[in-house]
Amino acid sequence: MMSVRRNTVIHTPEEIVRIRRAAQLTANVRDEVARLAVPGMTTKELDDLAGSLIAATGGESAFLGYGGFPGNICISVNEEVVHGIGRPDRVLLPTDIVSIDLGVRIDGACGDTAVTFGLGAPMPPAVQNLVEATRRALAAGIAAARAGNYIRDISAAVEEVGRRAHVGVVRDYVGHGCGIRLHEPPEVPNFVSSMKGPKLEPGMVLAIEPMFNQGSFKVKTDRIDGWTVRTSDGLPSAHFEHMVLITENEPEILTWPKTM
Ligand code: MG
């Protein structure tokens, strides 16, 4: 059984085998959904498609029903930051940027990953800067995910990329431990605070997930659906997420693209 301390989870080698598989299936679904998303589809159609792809893995959605979430995956378009719900009345446009966030639960383990992509139209420079900065911040966070470092080292690496790119670093939502449950301790903020967080040790699995806004870091939740988080100024937002296993050496990106 995984050892749960007050503020961190260390997974056993047997659990890591199952977590690795769940994460890889999650990555495959992520890449298929991103490949198949085209202008003219509704976000509900994209969610249904994701549900079919998840079912085809033999697993189930780790998000559907989580805290009452009604979709198979989260689909957040443009100014939507996270937790967007597929809607039959939202038709995707070539100029949209789409963030998908999803997890496959299988054999008692689960994955969690997110990506942001455009739907074909050239992105305005400010949006391209936003998306590329968020992608780079994830890479920088992963590079800091080494045994002996602290959670704050990941946070600092992510935040620094955001600062240099002059984007808003979302503070209300953070990365997290992941693996057997979708959300496990510790929290992995995208900014430095007074909390150092736990020391990183082999066997920890972290979902590192920068969320950056083109403008203000401030966000608000939709009062009607209770889920969709949007930027307070209506400017676009981007989100990338990988699950990373802390090892004795290089971090292992469990949701790296791979064909099985
Ligand atoms: Mg996550």
Side-chain angles (χ1 to χ4, degrees), residues 63 101-102 112-114 174-178 182-183 207-209 211 239 241:
F63 287 22
D101 187 358
L102 67 142
D112 191 3
T113 186
V174 296
H176 51 93
C178 184
L182 180 60
H183 291 113
I208 303 173
E209 49 177 323
M211 290 152 260
H239 180 204
E241 176 179 19

Side-chain angles (χ1 to χ4, degrees), residues 17 36 44-45 47 51 72 177 206 208 216 223 237 241 248:
V17 170
L36 294 168
K44 175 67 166 69
E45 286 169 337
D47 186 76
N72 291 301
L206 302 176
I208 303 173
S216 168
R223 289 210 200 108
S237 185
E241 176 179 19
E248 301 282 357

Side-chain angles (χ1 to χ4, degrees), residues 195-243:
M195 302 243 296
K196 201 172 176 185
K199 195 178 208 172
L200 307 185
E201 294 178 49
M204 289 174 72
V205 176
L206 302 176
I208 303 173
E209 49 177 323
M211 290 152 260
F212 286 175
N213 299 341
Q214 185 183 323
S216 168
F217 71 90
K218 289 184 183 162
V219 301
K220 59 185 180 191
T221 304
D222 189 294
R223 289 210 200 108
I224 295 169
D225 72 23
W227 282 102
T228 309
V229 177
R230 294 187 178 84
T231 57
S232 57
D233 57 15
L235 289 170
S237 185
H239 180 204
F240 286 86
E241 176 179 19
H242 273 308
M243 264 170 92

Side-chain angles (χ1 to χ4, degrees), residues 29-53 72-73 75 77-78 85-98 100 117-119:
V29 172
R30 174 200 63 210
D31 292 347
E32 274 297 283
V33 173
R35 191 175 68 81
L36 294 168
V38 288
M41 289 176 91
T42 68
T43 54
K44 175 67 166 69
E45 286 169 337
L46 193 60
D47 186 76
D48 289 343
L49 174 66
S52 305
L53 291 166
N72 291 301
I73 67 171
I75 304 172
V77 183
N78 299 337
I85 303 163
R87 293 187 347 222
D89 61 344
R90 180 50 163 102
V91 178
L92 292 172
L93 304 172
T95 49
D96 286 333
I97 62 163
V98 181
I100 56 170
F117 52 90
L119 284 179

Side-chain angles (χ1 to χ4, degrees), residues 1-12 15-16 18-19 22-23 26 61-63 66 102-113 175-187 203-207 209 241 243 254:
M1 196 53 202
M2 61 188 174
S3 75
V4 182
R5 298 182 206 153
R6 193 172 63 79
N7 59 1
T8 194
V9 177
I10 309 296
H11 291 289
T12 66
E15 287 172 338
I16 290 166
R18 288 187 284 128
I19 293 167
T26 300
S61 166
F63 287 22
Y66 188 91
L102 67 142
V104 174
R105 167 166 292 289
I106 188 165
D107 196 19
C110 71
D112 191 3
T113 186
H176 51 93
C178 184
I180 298 300
R181 288 179 294 131
L182 180 60
H183 291 113
E184 298 174 350
E187 290 194 342
M204 289 174 72
V205 176
L206 302 176
E209 49 177 323
E241 176 179 19
M243 264 170 92
L254 301 179

